[in-house]
Each structure stands twice: as structure tokens, then as C-alpha cells.
């Protein structure tokens, strides 16, 4: 496995194969290295680094996990353990638009299940899956804390309240 | 300084427009409303006499976007940007109310212009939420004008750490995260723990589905939480604090960060606070989506950057917590009360409430209830009063079936026990828990077996997997409930559920597992007949479990409106005007859309 060489906290890139054979662009690598450099001496910063790295790349391909493990000086198995534990982190590529359906109690009582079923049957995805054309991910979130708007769905950064199975497909049309 | 800021709020000829900027109102378009308001006020040259303030969550989320015109306290609701020109012209220029935008009494349909006359607000006692909707959460000046940091000044300059703890003990404040442990006692343990390095943590990982008061406090009044942390730190002599906040709450994170920066700039955080010689600083730590991280030992593991798994207690965090140092962890709502207790004294706080539960409690009221939002009531208030007097009852004249309290660790309280009062012990007696304060109202269309299944699905999804009873036991319970909901329930399933519940409760490692069976046990306690109907008669009385439904139209109930025909996604329904609808069960995919759409319960 290639290594990340840091000198004085400045990333000089990795040597060779993993970085060049990866989907991650050189610019993204540079940002990831900057994130690691910023936090590598802070105890307990792994989750922060993972969150910021995911914001850059979108998900965790193996080479990214290895790079973070090495940069933070934490065994790769531990890094993987943390990534697989928290629902915020994804090991597979995401779609262009993430549909977060709230599956909290109030939304459930108000009929989010019908909404999920309608999305699932229209786009052929279940919770936690991505459409083949990478247009949508469907994620169930355990309460967005906006119970006044139940049932709630968030697409990208847009929150939609009081969604119904009838309206939902119309709402999703504008996200291409 | 305080007088100056307070004076600004009460300046003559000045009018303030408090527009709600909580997450709920943002989602319904309050930003566009606010922009239009700024535009209109400027266009009419009212900039000198009108101050527009974007506040945090006002609490009446169901009516957003909303605003309050101060000092007249006129309350406007469900606004759109197009309403603004008329509102500015009438209310601000001519001083006339715009009747169509006022709140109306659901029964009499009469408009109620004054904020204080609206039953939802009038019957509350806002202590924790005292600043919601009337300050700009991103302005420390606004907060100071409302007695902000007075409690900190008193605690740091007048009181000793021992007397701070004494006030907390006198106040009788108990943990508002749900367990109800006396806050003063927790601080006392940590105070007496030897060590130079100690930590104060704020639990803002509000994972309970149906609870949103912590989020609203952080969005509306972040400084109150910081104050609570500073005072707690002084009591136990800690110099570093962390706010562990869910990443699902971006607006709360942003506003708390602004509050921290402002407090640092004024010397209220950092070195030598207010010249007292006491150092304390706070950082935000964002969670990454794990319900179990609300459990204190798991939360501390998570801040250490590891998998958020609980560990057995003792040793309690007050002796060995974060990084093995003495640590106290308090919930957002608990901390938001501390400064008020310092200012007014513990006895003042303890003057309200019941014998063992003092002060007020914030509930997040949602589900099948007319007025959805945040409700703060004195301890000892009957639950019925919360649902009917403040919540305005059940929509569409349906019957109340139960109120679910305490989320996945709690239980449901049926209509027969609705007179129970808000008190940790009283609520526990009827099989629920106070919990963090999520109160979800359910009408007669809710299937209690399905709700038990819902909570177990949640629990086994969120179980961290460290201990076998919780990891495997809740999985088996979920399988049993899924089987019952699918119409394959057998004799003996209920006994097995009860046996599993007892075992998991006794042997699980942390609170998540120990209370995981509560929703099931409470459903069995009050709604066993529904379980029997599912198992023995293969029927779902509430018509929620798709596998147990016939999908036929009841010709007697059908009013021939065609709503089911319009909503069916697979064109399985035949209908013409003035005809009863007919469902073709070969095409039907049992998606339940027609059930949701039918206003007459005509589908069996």
C-alpha cells in the first residue's frame, strides 16, 4: 500500500498507485491531506476528520480510508470500525441528490411509510440504496427534529414538510 | 451594558418584528418572508422605527412561517412573501390588523390577535424557553438585555463552588434528558472527585424520535446553554467543555458556534472570565448519527473518536469519564435552567412543581394533535391538559387512542390514564417514562402492534451490538412482531415476547437495551386485545397492517368521491362519478395510498 508523506504538516501527495488509480481527483486529495494536517495532533479528532473528508469526496473508497489511517496514525481496522459504526458515513458512492425521509415517530404516525413506498416503487430503490443512474439515494433518518412538519423529507438542502405519497413524485421531478 | 441593551428592547416608538427562524419555519419559507419584509420596510422608509429580528424557534411550529409584532404582541401565522406588502402597509403604517393572517380559534373560528390570548401560549409557563421567539439568537446583546450572563456573574463573583451546588440541590432540578437524576447530586460527585483535569459536557445528541426541544433551545437561545456549562464548570472546577451535537442539526451547530465566538469576544469564555480568575472554554463536537451516543459512556467514547459503545458503570463518569477524567454530562434543557436558578435561587425554582419533580418541563407535542409545537408546563400539569387545552385536541374529530411518551425507551399512555400528571414517578407508574419530552399523540387509526414494531425496528437498528441481549434479543422480538403484523402470528408469541422482554431488561449493558422492551410491554399492558385480534382473528382493528386488510370498498361507507381512484399509483381502482369505487385486487400492490386518501374509512 502506498503511503502519505507529510513534511511539516504539508501534504506532498502519495507515491503512486493508489492515488492515481482512484476516482478521487488530485484536488480532492489535496483537500483531504489538508484536513488530516489540521487535525492529526488533536486527540479524538478521527470522527471530525472523517466527516470533513466525506464532505470532500462524498464517500469512503478503500484508498481514502488507508490514507486517513496512515495520516492519523490509527490502525486501518479501527478507522473502518468507526466508519461502519456511524450512519453518517458511507462506504459506497452517493447519488447526486440524497433523499432523506424522516422515519421518526411523528412522521411514522402521519404516514411516511406510504411516501417511502411510493418513492421505492417509482425509482426501484429501497432505503439505503442508490438509483442506477446515481440520481437519487434514499436514506431513512431517525428523526430530523422537525415534527411540526410531519411527514418530513429532505432532498439535498431543501426541507419539504407535510409530504404525501401523492405529492412526492411531483416534488422529486425538479431534482435531475 | 445590560440596561442599555434592555432599553433598546423597550425604546418608545420602536417596533420590533420577531420573525421565527427555526428549522421548521425555514422549511416552510420564512427566509423569503423575512427578505420581503426587509425590502418592504426599507421601501416605505420605516427603517428608523422598525427593527426586524430573526429569532429562533417560537414553538408553534405547525403555523409557520410566523411573526410577532412587538410591543403590541400581534401574532401573524402561515405567511407567504406575497402577504408582506399588505401586512406592512396595514399593521406598520396604519396600525390596523390584517385579519386574514391572524390566528383563529379552531372551534369558534374567531381571530385571536394577541399572542398572550392564544390558548397554546397562554397556558404555558416559559422558564426554559423564556427567550424563545423574542431575541435574536445570533446576538449576545439581545441575550444580555434579557438578564443574560447575570447568573454567570453571580456564580463566578459571589458564590463558592459549594454554594453553587447547594443552590442546585435546593432547586430540585432533575436531568431533563429523561432519567431524572438530581443535577445537584451529579455535580457534587464530580466536585468531590480528585483531579486537576475535569470536563463538562452538554448532551445535544437529541436522538429520540419525536423530541425537538433541545434543538429548539440551541437554535433560539444558545447562550443559555453556554451559561449553564460555565456555571457547572465553576462548580466542579473544569476548564474545558464540549457540546456534543447531532450532525442532523446544522442550524443549531451554526448558532451555537456563533454564540461561542461572541462569548469569547466579550471575555465570557476563555481565560479569566469576568475577572474572576476562572478559565473555561467550550468546543462543539459533532456526532455522526448514532442514537446510542446519547448514552453518557457511549457519548464520551465518541468524543474520543472511537465507536460509540457504552461501558458498564461504575465507575461513573463523575469519577472516570472522558479520557478517564471526572466528567459531568447534562442535557441541553437541564443546562438552560441553570442560570435562572443562580439569579433567582434554588428555592424559587423548587416553588413550582410536585413533591419530587420541581420546576417546568418542555414537551415536544406532535402527531395527531391540532397544535403541534413546543409546550412548557409546570411539573404536576395533567397530560390531558397538555393534549386538549394547549394542544387543542385531535384533528378531524377523531378519538384519542394513546399518547406516546419517552420515545423508544418509553411507553404509551392510553386515554383512560390521561389524567396522570407530569412527574417522573407518576408517569413511570403508568408504564411510560418522562424521557426527553417527546409526546406523540395517536388517534384511533394507529395500530399499537405496528407502533411496538416501529420502536423495536428503531432499537435494533440503533443497538450498538456490544452486548448480546440487546443485539440478538431485540432482533428476535422484532421478528416476532413482524410476523404478527404480517398475519402469521401464533399462539404463544405473546408469552415469548414477554419472556424475551424480561431477559433483555435484566441483562442488557446500557439504558438503551434495558429499556428497549418498554414500548412492547406498555402496548401489551393496555392494548392486548389488538395483539389478540392480529394473532387469533388475523385482523388489524386500526387498519394499518396491510397484510391483514382485504382491500375492498365498503359500499355503505363510500361517498363516491373518487379520492382513492385519483391517488392509486397502479390504477387498480375503477371509479366513475356517482359510482362506488371498486378495487381490482390482482393489480393492487397494497401500498395503502387509498386508505390514507379516503376521508370516510370506507376501505376494509
Amino acid at each position: 500500500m502506498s503511503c502519505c508523506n507529510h513534511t511539516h504538516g504539508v501534504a506532498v501527495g502519495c507515491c503512486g498507485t493508489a492515488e492515481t488509480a482512484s476516482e478521487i481527483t488530485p484536488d480532492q486529495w489535496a483537500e483531504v491531506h489538508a484536513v488530516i494536517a489540521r487535525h492529526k495532533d488533536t486527540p479524538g479528532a478521527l470522527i471530525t476528520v472523517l466527516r470533513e473528508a466525506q464532505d470532500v469526496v462524498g464517500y469512503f473508497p478503500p484508498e481514502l480510508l488507508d490514507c486517513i489511517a496512515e495520516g492519523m496514525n490509527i490502525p486501518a481496522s479501527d478507522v473502518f470500525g468507526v466508519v461502519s459504526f456511524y450512519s453518517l458515513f458511507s462506504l459506497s458512492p452517493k447519488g447526486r441528490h440524497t433523499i432523506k425521509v424522516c422515519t421518526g415517530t411523528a412522521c411514522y404516525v402521519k404516514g411516511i411509510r406510504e411516501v417511502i413506498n411510493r418513492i421505492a416503487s417509482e425509482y426501484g430503490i429501497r432505503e439505503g440504496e442508490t438509483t442506477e443512474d446515481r440520481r437519487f439515494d434514499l436514506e431513512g433518518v431517525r428523526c430530523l427534529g422537525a415534527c411540526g412538519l410531519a411527514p418530513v423529507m429532505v432532498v439535498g438542502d431543501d426541507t419539504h414538510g407535510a409530504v404525501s405519497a401523492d405529492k412526492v413524485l411531483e416534488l422529486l421531478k425538479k431534482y435531475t | 451594558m445590560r440596561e442599555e441593551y434592555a432599553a433598546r428592547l423597550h425604546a418608545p416608538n420602536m417596533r420590533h418584528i420577531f420573525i421565527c427562524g427555526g428549522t421548521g419555519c425555514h422549511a416552510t419559507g420564512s427566509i423569503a418572508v423575512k427578505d420581503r419584509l426587509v425590502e418592504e420596510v426599507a421601501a416605505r422608509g420605516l427603517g428608523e422605527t422598525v427593527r426586524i429580528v430573526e429569532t429562533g424557534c417560537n414553538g408553534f411550529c405547525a403555523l409557520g412561517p410566523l411573526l410577532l409584532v412587538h410591543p403590541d404582541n400581534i401574532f401573524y401565522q402561515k405567511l407567504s412573501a406575497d402577504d408582506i406588502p399588505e401586512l406592512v402597509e396595514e399593521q406598520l403604517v396604519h396600525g390596523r390588523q390584517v385579519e386574514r393572517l391572524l390566528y383563529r380559534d379552531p372551534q369558534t373560528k374567531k381571530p385571536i390577535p394577541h399572542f398572550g390570548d392564544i390558548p397554546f401560549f397562554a397556558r404555558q409557563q416559559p422558564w426554559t424557553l423564556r427567550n424563545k421567539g423574542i431575541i435574536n439568537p445570533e446576538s449576545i446583546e439581545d441575550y444580555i438585555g434579557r438578564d443574560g450572563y447575570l447568573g454567570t456573574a453571580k456564580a463566578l463573583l459571589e458564590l463558592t463552588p459549594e454554594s453553587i451546588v447547594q443552590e442546585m440541590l435546593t432547586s430540585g432540578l432533575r436531568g431533563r434528558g429523561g432519567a431524572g437524576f438530581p443535577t445537584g447530586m451529579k455535580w457534587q460527585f464530580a466536585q468531590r472527585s480528585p483531579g486537576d483535569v475535569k470536563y463538562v459536557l452538554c448532551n445535544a445528541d437529541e436522538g429520540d424520535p419525536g423530541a425537538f426541544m433541545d434543538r429548539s433551545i440551541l437554535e433560539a437561545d444558545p447562550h443559555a446553554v453556554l451559561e449553564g456549562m460555565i456555571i457547572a464548570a465553576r462548580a466542579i472546577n473544569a476548564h474545558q467543555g464540549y457540546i456534543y451535537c447531532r450532525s442532523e442539526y446544522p442550524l443549531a451547530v451554526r448558532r451555537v458556534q456563533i454564540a461561542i465566538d461572541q462569548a469569547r469576544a466579550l471575555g465570557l469564555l476563555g481565560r479569566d472570565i469576568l475577572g474572576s480568575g476562572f478559565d473555561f472554554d467550550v468546543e462543539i463536537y459533532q456526532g455522526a448519527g448514532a442514537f446510542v451516543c446519547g448514552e453518557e459512556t457511549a457519548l464520551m467514547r465518541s468524543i474520543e473518536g472511537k465507536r460509540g459503545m457504552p461501558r458498564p458503570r461504575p465507575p461513573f463518569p463523575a469519577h472516570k469519564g472522558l479520557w478517564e477524567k471526572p466528567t459531568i454530562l447534562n442535557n441541553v434543557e437541564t443546562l438552560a435552567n441553570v442560570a435562572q436558578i443562580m439569579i433567582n435561587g434554588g428555592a424559587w425554582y423548587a416553588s413550582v412543581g410536585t413533591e419530587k419533580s420541581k420546576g417546568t418541563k418542555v414537551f415536544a407535542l406532535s402527531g395527531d394533535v391540532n397544535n403541534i409545537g413546543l409546550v412548557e408546563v409546570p411539573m404536576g400539569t395533567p397530560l390531558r391538559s397538555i393534549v386538549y387545552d394547549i394542544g387543542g385536541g385531535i384533528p378531524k374529530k377523531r378519538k384519542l387512542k394513546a399518547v406516546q411518551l419517552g420515545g423508544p425507551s418509553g411507553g404509551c399512555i392510553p386515554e383512560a390514564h390521561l389524567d396522570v400528571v407530569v412527574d417522573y414517578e407518576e408517569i413511570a407508574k403508568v408504564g411510560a417514562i418522562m424521557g426527553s419530552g417527546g409526546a406523540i399523540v395517536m388517534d384511533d387509526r394507529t395500530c399499537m402492534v405496528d407502533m411496538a414494531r416501529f420502536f423495536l425496528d428503531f432499537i435494533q437498528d440503533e443497538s450498538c451490538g456490544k452486548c448480546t441481549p440487546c443485539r440478538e434479543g431485540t432482533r428476535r422480538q422484532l421478528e416476532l412482531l413482524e410476523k404478527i403484523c404480517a398475519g402469521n402470528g401464533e399462539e404463544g408469541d405473546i408469552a415469548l415476547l414477554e419472556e424475551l422482554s424480561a431477559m433483555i431488561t435484566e441483562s442488557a449493558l446500557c439504558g438503551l437495551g434495558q429499556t428497549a422492551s418498554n414500548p412492547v410491554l406498555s402496548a401489551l399492558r393496555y392494548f392486548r386485545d389488538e395483539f389478540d385480534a392480529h394473532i387469533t382473528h388475523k385482523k388489524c382493528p386500526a387498519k394499518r397492517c396491510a397484510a391483514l386488510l382485504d382491500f375492498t370498498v365498503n359500499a355503505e361507507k363510500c361517498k363516491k368521491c373518487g379520492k382513492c381512484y385519483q391517488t392509486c399509483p397502479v390504477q387498480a381502482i375503477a371509479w366513475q362519478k356517482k359510482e362506488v369505487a371498486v378495487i381490482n385486487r390482482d393489480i393492487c400492490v397494497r401500498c395503502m395510498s387509498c386508505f390514507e386518501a379516503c376521508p370516510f374509512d370506507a376501505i376494509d
Side-chain angles (χ1 to χ4, degrees):
Chain A
M1 195 62 230
S2 75
C3 59
C4 300
N5 303 310
H6 293 280
T7 46
H8 314 295
V10 181
V12 291
C14 293
C15 41
T17 49
E19 287 204 10
T20 45
S22 156
E23 271 195 17
I24 304 175
T25 65
D27 285 354
Q28 288 176 327
W29 278 121
E31 277 190 69
V32 169
H33 290 308
V35 167
I36 294 171
R38 227 183 2 255
H39 295 288
K40 70 180 177 48
D41 300 325
T42 315
L46 176 61
I47 292 171
T48 310
V49 170
L50 288 170
R51 202 184 60 242
E52 292 182 13
Q54 183 168 273
D55 286 344
V56 175
V57 180
Y59 74 110
F60 290 103
E63 62 273 20
L64 180 57
L65 289 179
D66 283 321
C67 175
I68 290 171
E70 208 146 336
M72 299 294 291
N73 201 11
I74 294 171
S77 56
D78 284 6
V79 176
F80 181 82
V82 170
V83 168
S84 61
F85 184 84
Y86 294 99
S87 60
L88 183 71
F89 301 132
S90 171
L91 289 158
S92 54
K94 291 276 192 203
R96 291 191 294 282
H97 306 284
T98 300
I99 305 171
K100 290 181 180 164
V101 279
C102 179
T103 54
T105 320
C107 292
Y108 189 77
V109 168
K110 293 264 188 166
I112 194 77
R113 200 171 43 167
E114 285 75 21
V115 175
I116 296 173
N117 289 347
R118 189 65 68 93
I119 297 172
S121 64
E122 174 73 17
Y123 296 106
I125 41 174
R126 285 188 312 211
E127 260 182 75
E129 292 180 347
T130 308
T131 53
E132 274 181 27
D133 59 2
R134 284 208 187 176
R135 180 176 164 194
F136 288 125
D137 309 308
L138 183 58
E139 277 181 26
V141 181
R142 292 300 193 183
C143 194
L144 290 156
C147 313
L149 309 173
V152 185
M153 172 178 86
V154 177
V155 186
D157 294 328
D158 308 339
T159 307
H160 300 283
V163 285
S164 65
D166 273 356
K167 289 188 223 158
V168 71
L169 298 183
E170 193 56 41
L171 271 174
L172 291 174
K173 273 185 186 154
K174 67 173 183 187
Y175 300 97
T176 50
Chain B
M1 184 154 125
R2 190 163 52 90
E3 280 76 21
E4 181 193 331
Y5 293 137
R8 210 171 57 174
L9 192 67
H10 302 295
N13 310 328
M14 235 353 235
R15 276 167 304 172
H16 300 257
I17 296 184
F18 297 117
I19 178 154
C20 179
T23 295
C25 285
H26 272 185
T28 44
S30 71
I31 297 173
V33 172
K34 183 192 162 192
D35 292 344
R36 192 67 185 268
L37 195 59
V38 171
E39 231 172 85
E40 288 292 325
V41 166
R44 286 181 169 73
L46 298 168
E48 292 295 307
T49 57
V50 175
R51 178 170 172 248
I52 298 164
V53 182
E54 184 180 336
T55 70
C57 179
N58 151 298
F60 210 165
C61 309
L63 301 183
L66 48 86
L67 61 79
L68 187 68
V69 183
H70 176 89
D72 315 328
N73 282 339
I74 309 293
F75 179 81
Y76 288 108
Q77 58 158 37
K78 293 188 181 169
L79 301 166
S80 76
D82 297 340
D83 295 327
I84 295 301
E86 182 188 358
L87 196 141
V88 171
E89 181 67 30
E90 290 293 310
Q91 179 69 51
L92 298 177
V93 177
H94 302 296
R96 293 190 294 251
Q97 291 156 17
V98 185
E99 192 166 299
R100 67 183 179 88
L101 301 173
L102 294 170
Y103 175 82
R104 285 172 188 277
D105 186 299
Q107 263 77 41
T108 63
K109 301 283 179 254
K110 279 202 178 118
I112 306 179
H114 291 278
F115 172 83
D117 299 334
I118 296 171
F120 179 81
F121 295 111
R123 292 170 183 267
Q124 297 193 41
Q125 183 162 358
W127 279 6
T128 319
L129 304 174
R130 56 191 287 277
N131 290 331
K132 68 158 190 187
I134 50 171
I135 63 167
N136 173 357
E138 295 175 17
S139 152
I140 195 167
E141 293 86 358
D142 272 22
Y143 181 70
I144 290 171
R146 297 267 302 153
D147 290 346
Y149 289 102
L150 206 59
T152 301
K154 191 173 168 184
L156 265 52
L157 304 172
E158 293 174 25
L159 299 174
T160 62
E162 288 74 21
S163 55
I164 294 175
V165 168
Q166 206 47 56
E167 286 298 337
M168 294 305 291
L169 286 167
T170 309
S171 76
L173 178 67
R174 293 169 67 175
R176 296 285 186 253
F181 190 80
T183 308
M185 209 182 285
K186 190 186 271 187
W187 292 15
Q188 198 164 40
F189 288 145
Q191 189 183 56
R192 292 174 181 174
S193 288
D196 300 333
V197 181
K198 297 182 184 180
Y199 295 102
V200 170
L201 308 184
C202 166
N203 189 345
D205 188 68
E206 190 178 37
D208 263 12
F212 51 96
M213 68 289 294
D214 293 353
R215 166 196 200 133
S216 296
I217 292 169
L218 293 167
E219 285 177 8
D221 203 8
H223 287 283
V225 180
L226 291 185
E227 263 206 277
M229 291 180 78
I230 297 168
I231 295 162
R234 173 67 175 176
I236 69 164
N237 197 29
H239 303 294
Q240 179 62 46
Y242 293 97
I243 297 178
Y244 188 93
C245 188
R246 293 179 79 192
S247 53
E248 287 91 340
Y249 287 1
L251 185 62
V253 170
R254 196 170 66 94
R255 286 191 175 154
V256 172
Q257 190 58 57
I258 290 170
I260 291 174
D261 295 343
Q262 288 174 338
R264 277 183 195 151
L266 285 185
L268 293 159
L269 277 178
R271 293 202 162 276
D272 190 18
I273 297 172
L274 295 172
S276 64
F278 178 68
D279 307 337
F280 179 67
D281 208 346
V282 173
E283 275 176 49
I284 300 179
Y285 196 95
Q286 282 192 55
F291 174 66
V292 72
C293 286
E295 199 276 344
E296 60 178 1
T297 57
L299 183 148
M300 290 167 200
R301 279 280 171 279
S302 184
I303 293 185
E304 291 166 10
K306 303 187 181 84
R307 290 171 75 107
M309 291 199 173
R311 60 162 179 77
R313 294 175 305 181
F316 286 96
H319 302 125
K320 277 193 170 170
L322 184 65
W323 309 112
E324 306 290 309
K325 306 288 187 218
T327 305
I328 52 174
L329 170 75
N330 288 119
N331 164 272
V332 169
E333 193 190 332
T334 312
L335 289 166
N337 280 300
V338 172
Q340 288 303 303
I341 292 172
M342 290 302 122
I343 296 172
N344 301 311
W348 160 82
Y349 193 82
S351 68
V352 163
T354 61
E355 187 198 349
K356 288 187 175 164
S357 305
K358 302 296 185 192
T360 59
K361 175 77 190 100
V362 183
F363 286 94
L365 195 61
S366 66
D368 298 321
V369 62
N370 279 315
N371 301 338
I372 291 172
L374 286 187
V375 174
E376 183 171 5
V377 291
M379 294 283 189
T381 304
L383 200 54
R384 188 180 297 278
S385 164
I386 296 176
V387 174
Y388 287 95
D389 299 340
I390 298 173
I394 319 298
K396 296 179 190 160
K397 299 205 169 85
R398 287 192 171 275
K399 279 177 53 193
L400 179 135
K401 187 180 248 181
V403 179
Q404 213 285 342
L405 279 186
S409 312
C412 49
I413 297 176
E415 154 68 86
H417 287 281
L418 212 58
D419 289 314
V420 67
V421 298
V422 173
D423 171 289
Y424 289 94
E425 280 71 27
E426 291 298 315
I427 288 178
K429 273 185 204 161
V430 294
I433 59 167
M434 176 83 85
S436 54
I440 295 123
V441 182
M442 302 176 193
D443 69 16
D444 52 7
R445 285 179 312 170
T446 311
C447 168
M448 299 317 282
V449 185
D450 183 52
M451 282 321 290
R453 189 202 59 76
F454 165 82
F455 281 116
L456 266 176
D457 179 54
F458 178 95
I459 286 288
Q460 71 86 35
D461 194 25
E462 293 292 348
S463 170
C464 78
K466 186 172 177 177
C467 75
T468 316
C470 178
R471 186 184 65 242
E472 306 295 336
T474 56
R475 164 68 68 177
R476 296 289 91 79
Q477 283 185 310
L478 176 65
E479 282 168 2
L480 280 168
L481 284 163
E482 281 178 340
K483 192 174 98 177
I484 294 170
C485 287
N488 303 323
E490 300 164 73
E491 198 67 37
D493 283 351
I494 293 182
L496 194 53
L497 267 176
E498 286 174 327
E499 191 186 352
L500 275 167
S501 297
M503 245 186 271
I504 296 166
T505 304
E506 280 174 24
S507 54
L509 167 69
C510 82
L512 185 144
Q514 288 157 9
T515 58
S517 305
N518 282 359
V520 182
L521 292 173
S522 130
L524 278 170
R525 178 170 166 183
Y526 296 116
F527 299 98
R528 189 176 279 258
D529 54 334
E530 287 195 31
F531 283 80
D532 289 338
H534 280 72
I535 294 169
T536 318
H537 307 293
K538 308 293 178 210
K539 283 272 174 234
C540 175
K543 298 191 194 175
R544 289 294 305 169
C545 298
L548 298 173
L549 300 173
D550 297 337
F551 288 94
T552 52
V553 178
N554 180 327
E556 285 175 16
K557 287 186 180 172
C558 176
K559 297 271 191 284
K560 306 165 190 172
C561 70
K563 283 195 172 146
C564 56
Y565 164 80
Q566 288 155 3
T567 188
C568 179
V570 290
Q571 287 81 47
I573 299 181
W575 170 82
Q576 286 175 333
K577 275 190 178 162
K578 300 183 183 171
E579 295 276 329
V580 171
V582 180
I583 301 176
N584 180 335
R585 288 160 60 186
D586 296 336
I587 306 176
C588 168
V589 292
R590 308 182 96 97
C591 76
M592 308 283 294
S593 298
C594 50
F595 275 89
E596 287 297 304
C598 179
F600 313 105
D601 286 348
I603 293 169
D604 291 328

